[in-house]
């Protein structure tokens, strides 16, 4: 480990001592700058005390090695250095290197950049070469090397540095306030070390577990390698180029007439049906590979395009095509003043990035919604559905007219490209993740782009004491068994305590077990029904399993849903209209049903044509998100030469006008 900080620690200590030993009169005099070498001498012990404390918490020993520039001119010193480091590593001791600024021949720390090394980055590079290190990680205050100052929107991170390609296009910003070289010094040290055989990664020292992520092979930071030029694809399309192309195509799509956009969707539906055999063959290959790889049954279920699915998708696309054109609709007209009319109109969001797992049918739904709403689209599916996604993408884009362009819908094939795309908040307008809690959480933590979606689908059915048990049985069986892997499937069955010994509840539980559903109990149900105890109420099984628990009344059910639910879809089964209204008004979920299966929470079933996903957020769109959720608004004003001029000559009327 190569570190700095001795001068800073020493300066802090000396300033404190000087303050303690000064009179009020002394403090009124001009303060002399502290000598950097004295600061370094005082600060070394404090710096190592800090490292000793931190490493001791991990039960690891550390050691201090102070070097100066002139030391490396001595071949014997360099040989002894290698021996010492190897000995320390054999003893599981971490060597902590620092330049001995107290006795360095430099004029002053941070001011003299002469010699064999001139800062901690160049010292780290020199040590990597001397010790024949397997890897050098240079930590920075940014994510890696950018093409320009990271604060500028047009700057993009360079994941693999190739001198011939990047040297001339990089613009460096100001150097660090407290260092000698900033990013310029890191790049120079990285280039020298990598050319000598030690790979180098520049990455953020602020990001969590960045060193571990580098060691695990994740594509973070900027890699320097002597063979990097051999890895560069000859015709690589960057993430930014994909996003910009999608935006340009979306603008051409918006310029088409409503009938022309409608025809595109009808052509896509026809193309899907015409290529059904090819699509099914590719999907079956994905399913077989997933089964051989030992994927969970719930994932394989989501991956499978069942018989009739292509026809169903084509039908939903045709339904979408025949719906009223959502673009350029006048939502409100206002007469601001005489002959000055303001219109609020609907328009596309721009470019959407959809990241989804397992379900290839999601690609079709999302693509059709993007076309109908005039948005550009970038899609990233799971690797388990690669064949299915590739053929579906080809069939759909082949149906797009040349006047729009195939790049309206881009298919991202590499997981690494997602990290680049999530940084493009200047060209991508909305991210919609469809998948696991982990996926959604990772994306939300990795981007400044607005994210729309839900992390969990913990849906409840509550059977009230007044419920018609035949209706309750139909709803519970459908909500759990119709499609267990769906996010709108029932995961928890709440039952009023008065029904504990009712024949109707026994019938429901027996029917669930007969269908192969594993039943787990909350604390009460576990005792009363003698069933295995559920590990957690906030659990999405996504399979033939569910949790059962008893509650005191409707208010207890509502409290349980608010505490353990995911604000997705929840249902009450009751004949008591007053209890039903209490449930419908108080349950704070995206969709709340009375005497209807949770499986109805779906864009197609809601009459939206299709859906890009279900949002449990409260901003912009909530519940199943169809075309309307992919639109925003803009204001169009039509005047006849009016000016504000301090509002002297304007007689505001602000009169609502009929929509035209």
């Amino acid at each position: 480990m190569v570190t700095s900080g001795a001068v800073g620690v020493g300066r802090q200590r000396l300033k404190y001592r000087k303050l303690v030993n000064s009179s009020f009169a002394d403090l009124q005099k001009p303060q002399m700058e502290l000598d950097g070498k004295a600061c370094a001498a005082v600060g070394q012990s404090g710096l190592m005390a800090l490292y000793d404390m931190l490493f001791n918490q991990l039960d690891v020993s550390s050691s201090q090695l102070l070097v100066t520039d002139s030391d490396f001119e001595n071949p014997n010193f360099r040989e002894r250095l290698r021996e010492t480091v190897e000995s320390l590593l054999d003893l599981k001791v971490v060597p902590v290197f620092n330049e001995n600024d107290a006795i360095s021949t430099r004029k002053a720390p941070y001011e003299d950049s002469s010699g064999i090394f001139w800062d901690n980055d160049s010292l780290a590079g020199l040590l990597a070469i001397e010790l024949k290190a397997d890897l050098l990680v240079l930590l920075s205050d940014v994510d890696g090397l950018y093409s320009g100052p990271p604060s500028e929107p047009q700057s993009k991170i360079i994941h693999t540095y190739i001198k011939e390609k990047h040297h001339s296009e990089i613009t460096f910003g100001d150097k660090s306030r407290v260092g000698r070289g900033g990013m310029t010094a890191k790049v120079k040290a990285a280039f020298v070390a990598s050319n000598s055989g030690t790979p180098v990664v520049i990455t953020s020292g602020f990001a969590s577990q960045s060193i571990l992520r580098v060691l695990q092979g994740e594509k973070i930071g900027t890699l320097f390698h002597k063979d990097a030029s051999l890895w560069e694809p000859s015709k690589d399309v960057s993430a930014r180029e994909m996003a910009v192309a999608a935006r340009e195509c979306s603008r051409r799509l918006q310029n088409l007439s409503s009938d022309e956009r409608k025809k595109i969707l009808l052509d896509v539906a026809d193309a899907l049906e015409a290529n059904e055999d090819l699509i099914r063959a590719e999907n079956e290959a994905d399913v077989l590979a997933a089964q051989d790889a030992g994927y969970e049954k719930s994932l394989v279920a989501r991956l499978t395009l069942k018989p009739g699915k292509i026809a169903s998708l084509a039908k939903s696309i045709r339904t979408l095509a025949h719906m009223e054109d959502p673009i350029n609709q006048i939502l409100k007209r206002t007469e601001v003043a005489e002959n000055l009319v303001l219109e609020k109109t609907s328009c596309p969001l721009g470019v959407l990035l959809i990241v989804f797992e397992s379900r290839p049918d999601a690609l079709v739904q999302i693509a059709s919604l993007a076309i109908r709403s005039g948005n550009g689209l970038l899609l990233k599916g799971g690797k388990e559905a690669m064949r299915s996604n590739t053929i579906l993408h080809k069939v759909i884009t082949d149906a797009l007219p040349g006047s729009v362009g195939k790049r309206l819908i881009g298919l991202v094939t590499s997981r690494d490209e997602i990290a680049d795309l999530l940084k493009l908040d200047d060209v991508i307008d909305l991210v919609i993740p469809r998948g696991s809690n982990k996926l959604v959480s990772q994306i939300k933590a990795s981007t400044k782009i607005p994210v729309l979606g839900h992390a969990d689908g913990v849906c409840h059915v509550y059977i009230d004491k007044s419920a018609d048990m035949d209706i309750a049985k139909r709803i519970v069986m459908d909500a759990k068994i119709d499609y267990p892997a769906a996010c709108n499937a029932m995961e928890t069955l709440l039952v009023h305590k008065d029904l504990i010994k009712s024949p109707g509840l026994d019938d429901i539980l027996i029917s669930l077990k007969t269908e192969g559903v594993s039943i787990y109990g909350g604390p009460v149900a576990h005792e009363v029904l003698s069933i295995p105890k559920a590990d957690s109420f906030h659990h999405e099984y996504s399979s033939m399993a569910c949790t059962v628990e008893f509650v005191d009344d409707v208010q207890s059910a509502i409290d349980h849903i608010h505490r353990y639910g995911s604000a997705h879809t929840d249902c009450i089964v009751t004949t008591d209209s007053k209890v039903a209204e209490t449930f419908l008004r108080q349950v704070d979920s995206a969709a709340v049903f009375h005497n209807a299966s949770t499986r109805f929470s779906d864009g197609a079933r809601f009459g939206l044509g299709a859906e890009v996903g279900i949002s449990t957020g409260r901003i912009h769109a909530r519940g199943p998100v169809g075309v309307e959720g992919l639109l925003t608004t803009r204001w169009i004003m039509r005047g006849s030469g009016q000016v504000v001029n301090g509002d002297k000559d304007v007689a505001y009327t602000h009169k609502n006008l009929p929509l035209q």
Side-chain angles (χ1 to χ4, degrees):
M1 194 176 152
V2 179
T3 183
S4 59
V7 175
V9 172
R11 181 176 287 115
Q12 188 178 37
R13 283 186 168 186
L14 288 174
K15 279 186 175 180
Y16 174 75
R17 298 312 311 172
K18 188 174 181 182
L19 177 64
V20 169
N21 295 318
S22 296
S23 66
F24 183 76
D26 291 335
L27 294 175
Q28 304 308 306
K29 300 174 183 177
Q31 301 297 302
M32 299 293 292
E33 182 63 31
L34 295 170
D35 176 53
K37 294 183 180 297
C39 290
V42 171
Q44 283 294 350
S45 59
L47 182 66
M48 278 312 299
L50 175 62
Y51 279 118
D52 279 339
M53 178 188 70
L54 294 172
F55 278 116
N56 281 335
Q57 290 181 13
L58 303 173
D59 197 24
V60 174
S61 298
S62 59
S63 59
Q64 183 180 36
L65 291 92
L66 295 174
V67 296
T68 62
D69 183 81
S70 58
D71 291 333
F72 285 89
E73 297 173 358
N74 186 336
N76 291 328
F77 166 81
R78 292 158 72 171
E79 186 176 342
R80 298 289 85 76
L81 176 70
R82 286 192 292 270
E83 291 174 355
T84 300
V85 171
E86 288 171 4
S87 177
L88 289 169
L89 294 177
D90 287 341
L91 294 169
K92 308 299 183 187
V93 175
V94 177
V96 179
F97 280 89
N98 196 358
E99 181 178 8
N100 193 349
D101 289 315
I103 60 170
S104 170
T105 55
R106 298 184 199 284
K107 298 172 185 175
Y110 303 149
E111 295 178 10
D112 186 353
S113 60
S114 61
I116 297 175
F117 68 86
W118 52 92
D119 62 5
N120 283 300
D121 295 318
S122 56
L123 172 58
L126 179 60
L127 288 169
I129 296 170
E130 286 292 330
L131 302 171
K132 295 181 172 58
D134 296 316
L135 175 69
L136 171 60
V137 180
L138 296 175
L139 297 177
S140 175
D141 58 356
V142 293
D143 293 332
L145 175 62
Y146 283 76
S147 56
S151 59
E152 295 182 2
Q154 67 271 23
S155 298
K156 57 183 180 179
I157 194 167
I158 298 169
H159 281 301
T160 304
Y161 178 84
I162 299 170
K163 185 178 181 183
E164 296 78 10
K165 177 181 178 181
H166 297 121
H167 181 71
S168 59
E169 68 180 41
I170 294 174
T171 303
F172 290 102
D174 296 333
K175 76 176 188 67
S176 168
R177 291 183 300 106
V178 293
R180 295 181 190 143
M183 186 57 76
T184 308
K186 292 185 190 299
V187 171
K188 186 173 181 179
F191 183 73
V192 171
S194 62
N195 272 3
S196 299
T198 297
V200 183
V201 174
I202 299 176
T203 190
S204 171
F206 291 106
S208 175
Q209 298 186 325
S210 56
I211 297 176
L212 281 176
R213 292 175 66 195
V214 168
L215 294 175
Q216 290 165 356
E218 290 189 36
K219 187 177 180 180
I220 65 168
T222 303
L223 171 67
F224 291 73
H225 194 284
K226 65 178 181 180
D227 297 328
S229 60
L230 304 178
W231 306 340
E232 182 74 356
S234 56
K235 294 183 180 180
D236 186 33
V237 178
S238 73
R240 176 172 288 276
E241 288 169 339
M242 286 182 68
V244 170
R247 185 178 292 281
E248 291 173 352
C249 291
S250 75
R251 286 172 177 158
R252 293 199 289 268
L253 177 65
Q254 293 167 42
N255 287 331
L256 299 181
S257 69
S258 177
D259 287 341
E260 287 173 320
R261 285 194 297 273
K262 175 180 175 180
K263 184 179 183 304
I264 293 174
L265 283 172
L266 295 176
D267 289 345
V268 168
D270 292 342
L272 287 171
E273 290 181 332
N275 290 277
E276 181 172 0
D277 291 342
L278 180 57
I279 294 168
R280 290 285 301 279
E282 293 297 290
N283 180 247
E284 286 168 5
D286 278 336
V287 171
L288 185 61
Q291 290 171 336
D292 291 342
Y295 284 119
E296 293 180 2
K297 289 182 180 180
S298 59
L299 185 145
V300 176
R302 290 194 295 270
L303 176 61
T304 306
L305 292 174
K306 297 177 181 177
K309 188 63 178 179
I310 298 298
S312 174
L313 288 168
K315 181 181 177 181
S316 68
I317 293 173
R318 293 188 180 104
T319 300
L320 191 63
H322 291 293
M323 292 172 67
E324 184 181 11
D325 189 354
I327 306 175
N328 299 321
Q329 291 290 316
I330 299 175
L331 307 175
K332 184 178 181 180
R333 294 183 74 238
T334 305
E335 181 190 82
V336 177
E338 187 178 358
N339 295 323
L340 186 63
V341 177
L342 180 66
E343 296 175 345
K344 183 181 182 181
T345 64
S346 60
C347 67
L349 284 170
V351 177
L352 315 174
L353 169 60
I354 317 292
V355 184
F356 59 100
E357 296 175 336
S358 311
R359 292 182 56 181
D361 60 311
L363 184 150
V364 179
Q365 294 181 39
I366 295 163
S368 60
L369 284 168
I371 294 169
R372 195 66 177 115
S373 60
N375 286 289
L377 183 63
L378 300 175
L379 293 160
K380 173 64 178 79
K383 63 180 180 181
E384 65 280 351
M386 185 178 294
R387 287 170 174 251
S388 306
N389 291 337
T390 301
I391 187 60
L392 286 168
H393 176 259
K394 184 178 188 305
V395 168
I396 292 170
T397 53
D398 283 351
L400 298 175
S403 58
V404 174
K406 294 184 179 182
R407 297 177 76 182
L408 173 74
I409 302 172
L411 184 65
V412 181
T413 55
S414 168
R415 183 180 178 183
D416 293 335
E417 289 176 291
I418 289 296
D420 294 339
L421 288 166
L422 291 174
K423 291 181 172 65
L424 301 180
D425 55 300
D426 58 324
V427 285
I428 295 176
D429 301 286
L430 184 68
V431 181
I432 305 178
R434 293 184 58 164
S436 65
N437 187 315
K438 182 180 179 183
L439 171 72
V440 177
S441 299
Q442 283 179 341
I443 287 176
K444 285 184 175 179
S446 305
T447 187
K448 296 178 183 176
I449 305 169
V451 178
L452 184 149
H454 71 279
D456 293 307
V458 183
C459 301
H460 298 76
V461 173
Y462 166 57
I463 304 177
D464 188 52
K465 64 180 179 180
S466 69
D468 180 320
M469 295 307 285
D470 289 333
I471 291 177
K473 179 180 176 180
R474 286 204 305 273
I475 289 173
V476 169
M477 297 301 290
D478 181 80
K480 183 68 262 181
I481 295 170
D482 183 60
Y483 190 3
C487 63
N488 57 15
M490 181 193 76
E491 303 295 3
T492 299
L493 174 61
L494 299 175
V495 183
H496 194 287
K497 65 180 180 180
D498 290 358
L499 300 176
I500 286 178
K501 296 183 178 180
S502 70
L505 177 60
D506 290 341
D507 185 30
I508 291 173
L509 297 177
I510 290 170
S511 297
L512 286 170
K513 290 178 180 178
T514 301
E515 291 292 334
V517 177
S518 299
I519 301 176
Y520 300 91
V524 179
H526 163 65
E527 294 291 339
V528 172
L529 301 176
S530 299
I531 55 178
K533 192 172 184 179
D535 292 333
S536 169
F537 278 129
H538 189 87
H539 180 69
E540 184 176 10
Y541 292 99
S542 298
S543 63
M544 293 286 276
C546 70
T547 300
V548 177
E549 183 58 317
F550 295 104
V551 292
D552 292 339
D553 51 26
V554 66
Q555 197 59 54
S556 296
I558 293 169
D559 292 342
H560 180 103
I561 290 168
H562 287 166
R563 184 173 182 182
Y564 299 109
S566 59
H568 191 296
T569 303
D570 299 292
C571 157
I572 183 173
V573 184
T574 184
T575 58
D576 187 327
S577 59
K578 186 176 180 181
V579 170
E581 283 304 309
T582 298
F583 188 90
L584 294 174
R585 289 176 183 276
Q586 292 189 23
V587 171
D588 189 17
S589 295
V592 190
F593 300 161
H594 173 210
N595 289 349
S597 170
T598 57
R599 291 280 292 123
F600 279 106
S601 188
D602 173 85
R605 297 187 181 102
F606 275 16
L608 306 180
E611 67 178 35
V612 291
I614 294 180
S615 171
T616 54
R618 288 165 172 76
I619 296 176
H620 179 64
R622 197 176 186 197
V625 180
V627 170
E628 288 185 6
L630 303 182
L631 300 173
T632 185
T633 57
R634 61 176 179 159
W635 297 91
I636 294 176
M637 181 173 277
R638 305 177 194 277
S640 53
Q642 290 88 343
V643 295
V644 173
N645 190 27
D647 291 328
K648 297 173 185 175
D649 304 321
V650 182
Y652 291 103
T653 58
H654 292 146
K655 198 165 46 173
N656 289 332
L657 300 175
L659 302 180
Q660 292 180 348

